[in-house]
């Protein structure tokens, strides 16, 4: 049912489809590339993350990964603070750093050389390699692309206040996702400023800059600077 809705409400801009998975992410920059193979649109991956994490973890090289608790695999080159909490299933890839009081609630894949910072909370999320979410962040039911960065206090809001199903807005057009929980899809190289909120169903293209204290909704095309909802300009 979900896939049919997405096909019906597919958005086009300038004759070309937007928001497709391969337009947001470089799949050479994640250990989780396989789970996206049949996902035309990136949010279609969200119901698959938990089961895929378990399947992938069981295939990991035991010479490189320790299973520190059932279905929690941590690379031997990663650094995990003793005060961090990691629930299953979870994979922490090479060179990643999970800092003091990070709270990982399961269904999470942390890419190579990532930073999951102090008091950062995550659940049902994939973060590609070299992503930084270093201070007081919440990332739920979301995907963060290669070298994206959330400033201190920036969060993905994953449930609407009225608890209705999440839609993605692009002007007056909508995509019905059929999902109650859907945070944000953040493209490669995108910077999200401090204390910004990415509302449920936000899709941000590659190489965008989101100003601090922003409230972001809907689709933001690649190479954009988001200053406010009424002031979005193209990078030059």
């Amino acid at each position: 049912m979900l896939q049919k809705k997405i096909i019906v409400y597919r958005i086009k801009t300038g004759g070309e489809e937007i928001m497709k998975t391969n337009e947001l992410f470089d799949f050479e920059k994640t250990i989780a590339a396989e789970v996206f193979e049949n996902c035309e649109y990136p949010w279609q991956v969200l119901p698959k993350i938990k089961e895929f994490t378990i399947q992938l973890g069981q295939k990991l090289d035991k010479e490189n990964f320790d299973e520190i608790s059932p279905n929690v695999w941590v690379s031997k080159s990663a650094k995990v603070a003793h005060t961090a909490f990691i629930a299953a299933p979870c994979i922490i890839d090479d060179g990643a750093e999970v800092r003091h009081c990070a709270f990982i609630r399961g269904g999470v894949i942390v890419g190579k050389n990532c930073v999951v910072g102090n008091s950062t909370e995550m659940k049902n999320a994939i973060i590609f390699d070299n992503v930084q979410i270093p201070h007081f962040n919440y990332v739920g039911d979301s995907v963060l692309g290669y070298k994206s960065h959330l400033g201190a206090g920036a969060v993905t809001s994953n449930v609407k206040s009225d608890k209705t199903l999440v839609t993605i807005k692009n002007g007056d057009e909508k995509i019905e996702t059929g999902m109650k929980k859907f945070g944000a899809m953040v493209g490669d190289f995108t910077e999200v400023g401090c204390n910004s909120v990415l509302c449920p169903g936000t899709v941000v293209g590659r190489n965008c800059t989101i100003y601090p204290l922003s409230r972001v909704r809907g689709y933001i095309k690649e190479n954009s600077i988001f200053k406010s909802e009424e002031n979005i300009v193209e990078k030059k």
Side-chain angles (χ1 to χ4, degrees), residues 116-138:
V116 179
N118 61 296
S119 304
T120 290
E121 181 179 351
M122 301 178 65
K123 55 91 68 173
N124 197 49
I126 296 174
I127 62 173
F128 279 50
D129 300 345
N130 295 88
V131 170
Q132 293 192 340
I133 43 176
H135 313 285
F136 308 107
N137 305 108
Y138 175 72

PDB file of all heavy atoms in Angstrom, residues 116-138:
ATOM      1  N   VAL A 116      28.816  10.688  17.325  1.00  0.00           N
ATOM      2  CA  VAL A 116      27.533  10.741  18.021  1.00  0.00           C
ATOM      3  C   VAL A 116      27.836  11.329  19.391  1.00  0.00           C
ATOM      4  O   VAL A 116      28.463  10.692  20.227  1.00  0.00           O
ATOM      5  CB  VAL A 116      26.894   9.348  18.146  1.00  0.00           C
ATOM      6  CG1 VAL A 116      25.572   9.437  18.910  1.00  0.00           C
ATOM      7  CG2 VAL A 116      26.671   8.734  16.768  1.00  0.00           C
ATOM      8  N   GLY A 117      27.409  12.561  19.616  1.00  0.00           N
ATOM      9  CA  GLY A 117      27.941  13.334  20.722  1.00  0.00           C
ATOM     10  C   GLY A 117      27.197  13.203  22.028  1.00  0.00           C
ATOM     11  O   GLY A 117      26.261  12.413  22.183  1.00  0.00           O
ATOM     12  N   ASN A 118      27.631  14.030  22.968  1.00  0.00           N
ATOM     13  CA  ASN A 118      27.087  13.983  24.312  1.00  0.00           C
ATOM     14  C   ASN A 118      25.591  14.286  24.320  1.00  0.00           C
ATOM     15  O   ASN A 118      25.113  15.208  23.682  1.00  0.00           O
ATOM     16  CB  ASN A 118      27.818  14.975  25.230  1.00  0.00           C
ATOM     17  CG  ASN A 118      27.699  16.415  24.778  1.00  0.00           C
ATOM     18  OD1 ASN A 118      28.179  16.778  23.715  1.00  0.00           O
ATOM     19  ND2 ASN A 118      27.044  17.231  25.591  1.00  0.00           N
ATOM     20  N   SER A 119      24.856  13.418  25.003  1.00  0.00           N
ATOM     21  CA  SER A 119      23.405  13.559  25.177  1.00  0.00           C
ATOM     22  C   SER A 119      22.641  13.523  23.856  1.00  0.00           C
ATOM     23  O   SER A 119      21.503  13.993  23.785  1.00  0.00           O
ATOM     24  CB  SER A 119      23.077  14.850  25.947  1.00  0.00           C
ATOM     25  OG  SER A 119      23.761  14.877  27.179  1.00  0.00           O
ATOM     26  N   THR A 120      23.236  12.968  22.820  1.00  0.00           N
ATOM     27  CA  THR A 120      22.544  12.774  21.545  1.00  0.00           C
ATOM     28  C   THR A 120      21.732  11.480  21.601  1.00  0.00           C
ATOM     29  O   THR A 120      22.227  10.445  22.046  1.00  0.00           O
ATOM     30  CB  THR A 120      23.545  12.738  20.386  1.00  0.00           C
ATOM     31  OG1 THR A 120      24.094  14.042  20.199  1.00  0.00           O
ATOM     32  CG2 THR A 120      22.892  12.287  19.090  1.00  0.00           C
ATOM     33  N   GLU A 121      20.493  11.546  21.142  1.00  0.00           N
ATOM     34  CA  GLU A 121      19.593  10.395  21.144  1.00  0.00           C
ATOM     35  C   GLU A 121      19.286   9.985  19.708  1.00  0.00           C
ATOM     36  O   GLU A 121      19.047  10.834  18.850  1.00  0.00           O
ATOM     37  CB  GLU A 121      18.297  10.743  21.873  1.00  0.00           C
ATOM     38  CG  GLU A 121      17.297   9.598  21.938  1.00  0.00           C
ATOM     39  CD  GLU A 121      16.027   9.967  22.697  1.00  0.00           C
ATOM     40  OE1 GLU A 121      16.004  11.043  23.315  1.00  0.00           O
ATOM     41  OE2 GLU A 121      15.064   9.171  22.650  1.00  0.00           O
ATOM     42  N   MET A 122      19.282   8.670  19.459  1.00  0.00           N
ATOM     43  CA  MET A 122      19.010   8.151  18.118  1.00  0.00           C
ATOM     44  C   MET A 122      18.121   6.925  18.207  1.00  0.00           C
ATOM     45  O   MET A 122      18.216   6.144  19.146  1.00  0.00           O
ATOM     46  CB  MET A 122      20.310   7.762  17.403  1.00  0.00           C
ATOM     47  CG  MET A 122      21.319   8.864  17.229  1.00  0.00           C
ATOM     48  SD  MET A 122      22.813   8.239  16.424  1.00  0.00           S
ATOM     49  CE  MET A 122      22.155   7.793  14.809  1.00  0.00           C
ATOM     50  N   LYS A 123      17.257   6.747  17.183  1.00  0.00           N
ATOM     51  CA  LYS A 123      16.507   5.504  17.042  1.00  0.00           C
ATOM     52  C   LYS A 123      16.067   5.342  15.595  1.00  0.00           C
ATOM     53  O   LYS A 123      15.775   6.317  14.905  1.00  0.00           O
ATOM     54  CB  LYS A 123      15.294   5.446  17.980  1.00  0.00           C
ATOM     55  CG  LYS A 123      14.314   6.610  17.882  1.00  0.00           C
ATOM     56  CD  LYS A 123      13.186   6.424  16.896  1.00  0.00           C
ATOM     57  CE  LYS A 123      12.223   5.367  17.298  1.00  0.00           C
ATOM     58  NZ  LYS A 123      11.033   5.352  16.367  1.00  0.00           N
ATOM     59  N   ASN A 124      16.076   4.109  15.117  1.00  0.00           N
ATOM     60  CA  ASN A 124      15.649   3.769  13.758  1.00  0.00           C
ATOM     61  C   ASN A 124      16.217   4.757  12.737  1.00  0.00           C
ATOM     62  O   ASN A 124      15.485   5.489  12.072  1.00  0.00           O
ATOM     63  CB  ASN A 124      14.126   3.745  13.657  1.00  0.00           C
ATOM     64  CG  ASN A 124      13.654   2.994  12.412  1.00  0.00           C
ATOM     65  OD1 ASN A 124      14.106   1.877  12.157  1.00  0.00           O
ATOM     66  ND2 ASN A 124      12.789   3.591  11.622  1.00  0.00           N
ATOM     67  N   ALA A 125      17.533   4.752  12.625  1.00  0.00           N
ATOM     68  CA  ALA A 125      18.195   5.736  11.771  1.00  0.00           C
ATOM     69  C   ALA A 125      19.462   5.149  11.168  1.00  0.00           C
ATOM     70  O   ALA A 125      20.125   4.281  11.759  1.00  0.00           O
ATOM     71  CB  ALA A 125      18.536   6.990  12.572  1.00  0.00           C
ATOM     72  N   ILE A 126      19.798   5.649   9.997  1.00  0.00           N
ATOM     73  CA  ILE A 126      21.080   5.341   9.351  1.00  0.00           C
ATOM     74  C   ILE A 126      21.821   6.646   9.158  1.00  0.00           C
ATOM     75  O   ILE A 126      21.270   7.606   8.599  1.00  0.00           O
ATOM     76  CB  ILE A 126      20.882   4.649   7.997  1.00  0.00           C
ATOM     77  CG1 ILE A 126      20.210   3.280   8.192  1.00  0.00           C
ATOM     78  CG2 ILE A 126      22.219   4.485   7.264  1.00  0.00           C
ATOM     79  CD1 ILE A 126      19.839   2.584   6.895  1.00  0.00           C
ATOM     80  N   ILE A 127      23.044   6.705   9.642  1.00  0.00           N
ATOM     81  CA  ILE A 127      23.880   7.858   9.346  1.00  0.00           C
ATOM     82  C   ILE A 127      25.087   7.376   8.546  1.00  0.00           C
ATOM     83  O   ILE A 127      25.769   6.434   8.916  1.00  0.00           O
ATOM     84  CB  ILE A 127      24.278   8.655  10.612  1.00  0.00           C
ATOM     85  CG1 ILE A 127      25.095   7.831  11.595  1.00  0.00           C
ATOM     86  CG2 ILE A 127      23.040   9.194  11.303  1.00  0.00           C
ATOM     87  CD1 ILE A 127      25.619   8.664  12.756  1.00  0.00           C
ATOM     88  N   PHE A 128      25.273   8.008   7.409  1.00  0.00           N
ATOM     89  CA  PHE A 128      26.343   7.622   6.499  1.00  0.00           C
ATOM     90  C   PHE A 128      27.705   7.976   7.103  1.00  0.00           C
ATOM     91  O   PHE A 128      27.796   8.549   8.191  1.00  0.00           O
ATOM     92  CB  PHE A 128      26.152   8.327   5.160  1.00  0.00           C
ATOM     93  CG  PHE A 128      25.144   7.683   4.242  1.00  0.00           C
ATOM     94  CD1 PHE A 128      23.865   7.339   4.699  1.00  0.00           C
ATOM     95  CD2 PHE A 128      25.454   7.419   2.911  1.00  0.00           C
ATOM     96  CE1 PHE A 128      22.933   6.756   3.850  1.00  0.00           C
ATOM     97  CE2 PHE A 128      24.527   6.834   2.058  1.00  0.00           C
ATOM     98  CZ  PHE A 128      23.269   6.501   2.524  1.00  0.00           C
ATOM     99  N   ASP A 129      28.775   7.646   6.385  1.00  0.00           N
ATOM    100  CA  ASP A 129      30.121   7.900   6.884  1.00  0.00           C
ATOM    101  C   ASP A 129      30.372   9.394   7.096  1.00  0.00           C
ATOM    102  O   ASP A 129      29.831  10.240   6.372  1.00  0.00           O
ATOM    103  CB  ASP A 129      31.174   7.363   5.899  1.00  0.00           C
ATOM    104  CG  ASP A 129      31.067   5.869   5.666  1.00  0.00           C
ATOM    105  OD1 ASP A 129      30.392   5.189   6.458  1.00  0.00           O
ATOM    106  OD2 ASP A 129      31.664   5.384   4.679  1.00  0.00           O
ATOM    107  N   ASN A 130      31.211   9.696   8.095  1.00  0.00           N
ATOM    108  CA  ASN A 130      31.697  11.054   8.344  1.00  0.00           C
ATOM    109  C   ASN A 130      30.600  12.054   8.705  1.00  0.00           C
ATOM    110  O   ASN A 130      30.745  13.254   8.481  1.00  0.00           O
ATOM    111  CB  ASN A 130      32.498  11.578   7.150  1.00  0.00           C
ATOM    112  CG  ASN A 130      33.772  10.786   6.914  1.00  0.00           C
ATOM    113  OD1 ASN A 130      33.756   9.774   6.200  1.00  0.00           O
ATOM    114  ND2 ASN A 130      34.864  11.221   7.512  1.00  0.00           N
ATOM    115  N   VAL A 131      29.512  11.562   9.258  1.00  0.00           N
ATOM    116  CA  VAL A 131      28.435  12.438   9.743  1.00  0.00           C
ATOM    117  C   VAL A 131      28.757  12.874  11.175  1.00  0.00           C
ATOM    118  O   VAL A 131      29.281  12.089  11.972  1.00  0.00           O
ATOM    119  CB  VAL A 131      27.079  11.716   9.694  1.00  0.00           C
ATOM    120  CG1 VAL A 131      26.000  12.515  10.416  1.00  0.00           C
ATOM    121  CG2 VAL A 131      26.671  11.458   8.253  1.00  0.00           C
ATOM    122  N   GLN A 132      28.404  14.107  11.504  1.00  0.00           N
ATOM    123  CA  GLN A 132      28.601  14.597  12.862  1.00  0.00           C
ATOM    124  C   GLN A 132      27.272  15.053  13.464  1.00  0.00           C
ATOM    125  O   GLN A 132      26.595  15.929  12.909  1.00  0.00           O
ATOM    126  CB  GLN A 132      29.597  15.752  12.871  1.00  0.00           C
ATOM    127  CG  GLN A 132      31.007  15.323  12.491  1.00  0.00           C
ATOM    128  CD  GLN A 132      32.037  16.388  12.784  1.00  0.00           C
ATOM    129  OE1 GLN A 132      31.710  17.564  12.932  1.00  0.00           O
ATOM    130  NE2 GLN A 132      33.288  15.996  12.876  1.00  0.00           N
ATOM    131  N   ILE A 133      26.901  14.436  14.573  1.00  0.00           N
ATOM    132  CA  ILE A 133      25.745  14.868  15.372  1.00  0.00           C
ATOM    133  C   ILE A 133      26.258  14.969  16.816  1.00  0.00           C
ATOM    134  O   ILE A 133      25.963  14.144  17.656  1.00  0.00           O
ATOM    135  CB  ILE A 133      24.545  13.913  15.220  1.00  0.00           C
ATOM    136  CG1 ILE A 133      24.965  12.445  15.259  1.00  0.00           C
ATOM    137  CG2 ILE A 133      23.816  14.169  13.938  1.00  0.00           C
ATOM    138  CD1 ILE A 133      23.790  11.476  15.211  1.00  0.00           C
ATOM    139  N   PRO A 134      27.028  16.035  17.105  1.00  0.00           N
ATOM    140  CA  PRO A 134      27.917  16.030  18.262  1.00  0.00           C
ATOM    141  C   PRO A 134      27.374  16.566  19.570  1.00  0.00           C
ATOM    142  O   PRO A 134      27.997  16.349  20.617  1.00  0.00           O
ATOM    143  CB  PRO A 134      29.088  16.899  17.785  1.00  0.00           C
ATOM    144  CG  PRO A 134      28.466  17.858  16.823  1.00  0.00           C
ATOM    145  CD  PRO A 134      27.334  17.121  16.168  1.00  0.00           C
ATOM    146  N   HIS A 135      26.249  17.281  19.594  1.00  0.00           N
ATOM    147  CA  HIS A 135      25.828  17.908  20.841  1.00  0.00           C
ATOM    148  C   HIS A 135      24.305  17.983  20.953  1.00  0.00           C
ATOM    149  O   HIS A 135      23.664  18.681  20.177  1.00  0.00           O
ATOM    150  CB  HIS A 135      26.342  19.347  20.955  1.00  0.00           C
ATOM    151  CG  HIS A 135      27.773  19.533  20.624  1.00  0.00           C
ATOM    152  ND1 HIS A 135      28.790  19.159  21.477  1.00  0.00           N
ATOM    153  CD2 HIS A 135      28.367  20.067  19.534  1.00  0.00           C
ATOM    154  CE1 HIS A 135      29.954  19.466  20.920  1.00  0.00           C
ATOM    155  NE2 HIS A 135      29.728  20.004  19.747  1.00  0.00           N
ATOM    156  N   PHE A 136      23.719  17.268  21.885  1.00  0.00           N
ATOM    157  CA  PHE A 136      22.318  17.462  22.269  1.00  0.00           C
ATOM    158  C   PHE A 136      21.351  17.357  21.086  1.00  0.00           C
ATOM    159  O   PHE A 136      20.418  18.143  20.951  1.00  0.00           O
ATOM    160  CB  PHE A 136      22.148  18.830  22.956  1.00  0.00           C
ATOM    161  CG  PHE A 136      23.110  19.067  24.081  1.00  0.00           C
ATOM    162  CD1 PHE A 136      24.172  19.943  23.940  1.00  0.00           C
ATOM    163  CD2 PHE A 136      22.952  18.398  25.290  1.00  0.00           C
ATOM    164  CE1 PHE A 136      25.067  20.158  24.971  1.00  0.00           C
ATOM    165  CE2 PHE A 136      23.845  18.611  26.334  1.00  0.00           C
ATOM    166  CZ  PHE A 136      24.910  19.494  26.171  1.00  0.00           C
ATOM    167  N   ASN A 137      21.549  16.355  20.246  1.00  0.00           N
ATOM    168  CA  ASN A 137      20.708  16.178  19.060  1.00  0.00           C
ATOM    169  C   ASN A 137      19.744  15.012  19.247  1.00  0.00           C
ATOM    170  O   ASN A 137      19.987  14.115  20.042  1.00  0.00           O
ATOM    171  CB  ASN A 137      21.569  15.918  17.820  1.00  0.00           C
ATOM    172  CG  ASN A 137      22.609  16.987  17.589  1.00  0.00           C
ATOM    173  OD1 ASN A 137      23.797  16.765  17.794  1.00  0.00           O
ATOM    174  ND2 ASN A 137      22.173  18.158  17.178  1.00  0.00           N
ATOM    175  N   TYR A 138      18.641  15.042  18.486  1.00  0.00           N
ATOM    176  CA  TYR A 138      17.752  13.892  18.391  1.00  0.00           C
ATOM    177  C   TYR A 138      17.596  13.534  16.922  1.00  0.00           C
ATOM    178  O   TYR A 138      17.244  14.394  16.097  1.00  0.00           O
ATOM    179  CB  TYR A 138      16.362  14.179  18.988  1.00  0.00           C
ATOM    180  CG  TYR A 138      15.412  13.024  18.775  1.00  0.00           C
ATOM    181  CD1 TYR A 138      15.570  11.837  19.488  1.00  0.00           C
ATOM    182  CD2 TYR A 138      14.401  13.094  17.828  1.00  0.00           C
ATOM    183  CE1 TYR A 138      14.730  10.761  19.274  1.00  0.00           C
ATOM    184  CE2 TYR A 138      13.553  12.020  17.616  1.00  0.00           C
ATOM    185  CZ  TYR A 138      13.716  10.853  18.336  1.00  0.00           C
ATOM    186  OH  TYR A 138      12.895   9.778  18.114  1.00  0.00           O
TER     187      TYR A 138
END
